[in-house]
Amino acid sequence: MKKKFSLSTWLLFLIPSIVGVVLFMIPLPDGDTMRVPIASFANVLSGWLAPFIQWIALATVAIAAIGSLLFMARPKDDSFASGLFKVTPFWLVVRLVALVYAIMIIFQIGPEPVWNEYTGGLLLEPNEGLVSFLFTIFLFAGLLLPLLLNFGLLEFFGALLVKVMRPLFGLPGRSAVDAVTSWVGDGTIGVLLTARQYEEGFYTKKEAAIIGTTFSVVSITFSIVVIEEVGLGSYFLPFYATVVFAGIVLALIMPRIYPLRGKPETYKDDTPLDLTREELPAHHSVVSYGLENALKKADANRSVSKFFKDGLKTVADMYIGVAPVVLAFGTTALMLAEFTPIFTILGKPFEPLLMLAGLPEASEAAATIVVGFADMFLPAILGASIESEMTRFFIATMSVTQLIYMSEVGGLLLGSKIPVNFKDLLVIFLLRTLIAFPIIAVVAHILF
């Protein structure tokens, strides 16, 4: 029998959920561009904090590194502090490396490749540096993600979309919200949303890995920046249509092949996948079942203090757990891209493929294909000087479709508790590149 809910419960479901959708999923005008409000707030705060952001970053990575050293000899327990600071020796080293990098970048000491404006300097630049932006987006996303998570929105869409997401992608219906949040908002928000739901037991290890590596797409806004960088802004519609089409094809294929196929179908506590969660009870339609689940969830989250307490814990977890990883891996990847020929060498095997596909200036384009693993904007920067419009279109579209890049999404995934490692990310990046290659090449030939 369907349960009746009070007006206050309905309002508790509707108001926070609508506010959450507006903040995270509805692009609004922001100067010359369109941004979701959460990103606009982060940009404004980033501007205000610009004189101090490097010191905030330094303090954060110092707390992460020193705290981890202090907790090294302690047994792991269920306390929040233990969860933040008790890490494996590998992640301890990563946090220490991030601290050393931060000191070198801020004070411009040590080898220049670490603090150069195109490497560590790019990440910690006070006004537009990635780490600076992440610190502010973490604050707003951490505090306000409960609007999407705690008041029934995911339960409602989970029931509605399970018949689409489960057979096509092997995912629960609620994962569609993660995908849309990334698509119109930002890939970083999508990763954070996925990580939270995995930790709270809504996704299995396999589902979290699939969503984090397949659906945390680059936002529409940043896609515009990429296509403008290669001088093809007038081709935005076919460019983005190609990105979406290739992304759907990849989302159908990637969960069914290595390494995502082999991820455990168990939740964080190692209990097996429970599909009975998604079964439709008798006397329910998908809408009525989704509404009942949503209203139950909203009714269980009436505490305002719990809302902010959970939000602050999430912010602390992001700052301590994720920021050092992004700084350590991002700086290292950018140093390799800028000061070594490694990505040029790794790109050489793609040169015959580019020539076979009939793309002009194949040798120059080959270097841009693998460098996207370091940072997704580097291919557009390197490819901007290529004369052929066809090749520039190919490079821009490929860079967005590849999805995994260590300076942001890759670093966030490694810093989260989503069960993927560096090798997984590298393999996924290469497989996405190879599978998307013919699709993008064909479209480039049709357009040019």
Side-chain angles (χ1 to χ4, degrees):
M1 184 167 173
K2 297 175 186 177
K3 184 178 176 182
K4 292 188 183 290
F5 294 90
S6 66
L7 176 62
S8 67
T9 303
W10 275 92
L11 293 175
L12 198 59
F13 159 54
L14 290 170
I15 294 173
S17 297
I18 290 169
V19 172
V21 167
V22 171
L23 288 176
F24 284 92
M25 301 168 71
I26 306 294
L28 298 173
D30 181 11
D32 295 331
T33 187
M34 300 284 285
R35 283 194 182 95
V36 291
I38 204 82
S40 296
F41 297 160
N43 273 338
V44 171
L45 183 59
S46 183
W48 289 347
L49 293 178
F52 319 105
I53 198 71
Q54 289 187 330
W55 304 108
I56 294 170
L58 177 59
T60 302
V61 295
I63 291 168
I66 295 166
S68 298
L69 282 172
L70 294 175
F71 271 76
M72 199 166 60
R74 296 190 189 184
K76 181 140 183 148
D77 56 44
D78 293 330
S79 70
F80 180 63
S82 181
L84 282 182
F85 297 112
K86 183 66 179 174
V87 293
T88 63
F90 174 79
W91 292 114
L92 172 61
V93 170
V94 169
R95 290 182 177 189
L96 290 170
V97 168
L99 176 57
V100 172
Y101 278 172
I103 293 169
M104 293 170 71
I105 293 164
I106 292 170
F107 296 103
Q108 296 194 352
I109 57 174
E112 186 190 344
V114 176
W115 50 265
N116 185 276
E117 63 179 315
Y118 299 110
T119 56
L122 182 68
L123 294 178
L124 270 184
E125 200 275 323
N127 293 305
E128 296 182 1
L130 173 64
V131 173
S132 306
F133 175 72
L134 287 180
F135 267 85
T136 51
I137 198 74
F138 284 175
L139 179 63
F140 286 111
L143 287 174
L144 299 175
L145 268 180
L147 293 170
L148 295 180
L149 292 170
N150 293 3
F151 298 97
L153 183 74
L154 296 174
E155 282 69 19
F156 177 65
F157 280 101
L160 255 60
L161 296 171
V162 68
K163 298 287 187 185
V164 176
M165 301 302 289
R166 182 60 69 185
L168 289 181
F169 310 114
L171 299 173
R174 63 195 295 126
S175 62
V177 177
D178 293 44
V180 174
T181 302
S182 296
W183 177 53
V184 299
D186 191 271
T188 57
I189 299 172
V191 173
L192 301 176
L193 184 58
T194 303
R196 272 289 303 275
Q197 292 190 83
Y198 168 66
E199 290 176 49
E200 292 175 5
F202 291 107
Y203 293 150
T204 64
K205 294 171 184 176
K206 183 176 183 178
E207 289 167 353
I210 291 170
I211 299 163
T213 59
T214 306
F215 287 91
S216 296
V217 295
V218 177
S219 69
I220 295 174
T221 303
F222 200 76
S223 297
I224 294 170
V225 175
V226 171
I227 198 68
E228 290 284 353
E229 175 66 22
V230 296
L232 296 172
S234 60
Y235 286 87
F236 175 75
L237 287 179
F239 157 73
Y240 203 72
T242 308
V243 168
V244 171
F245 177 71
I248 292 171
V249 171
L250 287 161
L252 291 169
I253 295 172
M254 295 303 296
R256 293 170 170 84
I257 62 176
Y258 176 85
L260 295 176
R261 182 181 179 181
K263 293 293 178 184
E265 295 198 73
T266 56
Y267 296 97
K268 190 184 175 188
D269 61 0
D270 290 326
T271 57
L273 171 65
D274 182 11
L275 289 177
T276 60
R277 297 181 180 189
E278 299 171 2
E279 289 177 1
L280 194 66
H283 313 298
H284 267 295
S285 67
V286 289
V287 174
S288 67
Y289 185 54
L291 278 174
E292 182 168 304
N293 286 341
L295 292 164
K296 282 180 182 175
K297 180 76 172 181
D299 204 36
N301 284 280
R302 290 180 173 272
S303 171
V304 176
S305 63
K306 184 178 182 297
F307 176 93
F308 287 106
K309 185 178 177 182
D310 288 349
L312 288 169
K313 282 184 175 180
T314 302
V315 173
D317 197 27
M318 291 176 195
Y319 278 6
I320 301 299
V322 179
V325 177
V326 173
L327 185 59
F329 278 91
T331 302
T332 302
L334 290 170
M335 280 195 292
L336 291 173
E338 287 291 327
F339 293 98
T340 76
I342 187 167
F343 287 110
T344 303
I345 294 167
L346 292 173
K348 279 293 179 185
F350 288 96
E351 194 172 327
L353 283 176
L354 288 159
M355 294 173 71
L356 187 66
L359 292 167
E361 299 172 85
S363 60
E364 291 86 348
T368 70
I369 290 183
V370 182
V371 78
F373 187 63
D375 182 84
M376 67 84 57
F377 200 49
L378 286 176
I381 293 171
L382 296 176
S385 59
I386 289 175
E387 287 187 20
S388 168
E389 289 188 344
M390 181 193 296
T391 304
R392 296 204 307 274
F393 178 89
F394 176 88
I395 290 167
T397 312
M398 180 62 78
S399 71
V400 175
T401 308
Q402 288 169 319
L403 206 64
I404 307 295
Y405 48 106
M406 296 309 300
S407 66
E408 187 176 290
V409 169
L412 289 173
L413 287 167
L414 291 177
S416 74
K417 294 180 176 64
I418 296 172
V420 290
N421 55 38
F422 181 82
K423 186 186 83 168
D424 290 336
L425 297 181
L426 179 58
V427 171
I428 291 167
F429 171 85
L430 292 172
L431 288 172
R432 290 183 67 88
T433 301
L434 290 170
I435 295 167
F437 193 104
I439 299 171
I440 299 170
V442 167
V443 174
H445 273 287
I446 291 170
L447 289 174
F448 298 95

